[in-house]
Amino acid sequence: MLSLHLFFSAVLFLVGLRLSAFFSGTETGFYRVSTLQLTLQKQRGDRVGSALFWFVTHPERFVATTLVGNNVANYLTTMAVGMLVAAVWEHSTGAAEIVATLAMTPVVFIFGELIPKSLYYRAPMSLLRSGSVAFNLFYWLFIPISYPLIQASRFVATLSNSDKRPMEVVFGRTRLYGVLEEGQREGLLTGLQRNLAENLMQVAGLPVHLSMVPASTIRGLSESASVDEVLKLAGETDSPEVLLHAEGRPFEWVGCVRVADLLASSLAPRHMMQQLPVFQESDARLEVLTELFRRYSQFGVVRSQDRVIGIIRRQTLISQLFRVIRPGSTQLETLLTGE
């Protein structure tokens, strides 16, 4: 009979220890798992990924489940220790149970808390996927007890009067930066792709005048210039295009001519000139870049009210998307100035 009690107590203790490890680790795993990966798995129709994503987007449900589960696990381990003491000492006192409980506390802490949390912290996705069926089972098993806790947490959340929309709809900039870092860490984004996305957030909405070359510093020619003059300036600046301004108005840039077109034709530069698209100084950089691509133009004119204040080069805007540019920076291209 004694051996049977000892066996049953040991089995009960191991069950409680295993449950404690499962729920403690799962809670850590849900906080550590990659939301980006779960989103992609959900979009691919992965049932396990979709279930995990649902719990991540409803944290009050997995928190309530793990809370109830940990309490059940603690109750089982405590009961197992009490049964073990009663089996060994027939006339055990409360002091003996307290001593036995204190003696087993390090075991529960190490194997039921510390090690599982560490493992789930290091590999949350794989461990959560392997235990997803069990967690779903416990979720529905504990729902009569955890449901009041879920409703209580929702009520507390309503008291904050926050006007936050769902996580799938709105990402703050800080959160988005975190997603980009997470995507690169998980191998979903290359360093170049992450850099492009971050720089898009930095420079896309800034006004184009921050990237332009001032009109007074540009080297170009009058639209009435000869072929020889255009070829000479192109050689001095090592540029395949030469900008042209209106005759008699040196800062009123109106077009550009390609050296290759001049060499392949006998026409004067003014007849080979490509008109430059015109932008306002407050236009966003990304909008300007899109329009330059649509017009197949390497350059654009930047105006302030009724006067030309600068030239924007398409390559300048492209390069700013691939490297960090401080807001307010005016890195200029030497190709335009010839410096």
Side-chain angles (χ1 to χ4, degrees):
M1 181 65 70
L2 178 62
S3 59
L4 184 62
H5 277 291
L6 290 176
F7 175 77
F8 186 73
S9 301
V11 169
L12 190 62
F13 180 80
L14 292 176
V15 169
L17 188 64
R18 181 65 184 90
L19 289 177
S20 178
F22 176 73
F23 290 112
S24 298
T26 299
E27 185 176 11
T28 300
F30 273 120
Y31 284 119
R32 280 286 299 166
V33 72
S34 168
T35 307
L36 183 60
Q37 274 196 335
L38 290 179
T39 303
L40 295 176
Q41 291 177 9
K42 177 186 175 184
Q43 291 176 349
R44 290 197 298 264
D46 188 322
R47 295 180 63 182
V48 175
S50 299
L52 294 177
F53 181 85
W54 185 80
F55 279 113
V56 169
T57 53
H58 297 80
E60 71 280 357
R61 294 187 179 272
F62 79 75
V63 169
T65 303
T66 56
L67 180 64
V68 174
N70 273 316
N71 276 278
V72 171
N74 292 335
Y75 177 77
L76 291 178
T77 55
T78 303
M79 185 170 66
V81 171
M83 292 175 60
L84 179 64
V85 172
V88 175
W89 294 285
E90 286 189 28
H91 304 289
S92 62
T93 62
E97 291 188 12
I98 294 175
V99 171
T101 301
L102 291 176
M104 298 305 296
T105 296
V107 177
V108 175
F109 174 73
I110 294 173
F111 294 99
E113 293 281 342
L114 187 61
I115 294 179
K117 285 182 180 293
S118 179
L119 293 175
Y120 275 83
Y121 185 88
R122 294 175 181 272
M125 180 64 74
S126 59
L127 292 176
L128 283 177
R129 288 184 65 88
S130 64
S132 62
V133 174
F135 190 82
N136 272 288
L137 177 63
F138 283 118
Y139 169 74
W140 291 110
L141 183 64
F142 294 157
I143 196 66
I145 303 173
S146 62
Y147 187 75
L149 297 176
I150 295 171
Q151 294 302 316
S153 66
R154 289 178 176 176
F155 175 74
V156 172
T158 59
L159 297 180
S160 63
N161 295 322
S162 60
D163 190 25
K164 295 181 180 179
R165 285 174 283 177
M167 181 176 59
E168 293 180 88
V169 178
V170 174
F171 285 95
R173 174 166 292 195
T174 302
R175 174 58 178 159
L176 188 52
Y177 274 115
V179 169
L180 293 175
E181 292 180 1
E182 190 176 326
Q184 184 180 1
R185 184 174 62 251
E186 299 291 344
L188 302 174
L189 295 175
T190 65
L192 183 62
Q193 289 170 327
R194 175 192 166 189
N195 202 25
L196 174 60
E198 289 181 349
N199 288 334
L200 271 173
M201 289 188 293
Q202 285 186 342
V203 308
L206 296 177
V208 71
H209 75 83
L210 296 177
S211 300
M212 73 177 187
V213 179
S216 60
T217 64
I218 297 171
R219 293 187 64 183
L221 297 169
S222 169
E223 59 183 345
S224 61
S226 65
V227 174
D228 291 338
E229 290 175 323
V230 171
L231 295 179
K232 179 182 178 182
L233 181 59
E236 292 176 355
T237 59
D238 192 26
S239 171
E241 296 101 2
V242 172
L243 291 169
L244 303 177
H245 59 75
E247 189 172 356
R249 290 177 289 173
F251 301 145
E252 190 73 18
W253 303 101
V254 293
C256 72
V257 60
R258 297 178 62 215
V259 173
D261 293 338
L262 286 180
L263 294 175
S265 174
S266 58
L267 297 176
R270 70 164 61 214
H271 299 302
M272 302 295 298
M273 179 179 67
Q274 178 188 11
Q275 293 291 329
L276 298 179
V278 179
F279 305 100
Q280 296 300 313
E281 62 176 334
S282 59
D283 289 346
R285 293 179 183 181
L286 188 58
E287 295 177 4
V288 172
L289 179 60
T290 303
E291 182 64 16
L292 289 175
F293 270 109
R294 192 184 70 82
R295 298 277 294 271
Y296 300 99
S297 178
Q298 292 293 330
F299 304 98
V301 176
V302 181
R303 300 184 69 93
S304 177
Q305 297 179 351
D306 59 347
R307 66 185 183 92
V308 175
I309 61 172
I311 291 291
I312 184 64
R313 184 169 180 257
R314 188 172 75 182
Q315 189 57 40
T316 301
L317 295 176
I318 293 174
S319 65
Q320 288 174 348
L321 300 181
F322 289 89
R323 63 176 182 268
V324 176
I325 302 295
R326 296 185 304 273
S329 174
T330 55
Q331 292 182 310
L332 306 180
E333 296 290 333
T334 58
L335 178 62
L336 289 175
T337 62
E339 299 176 357

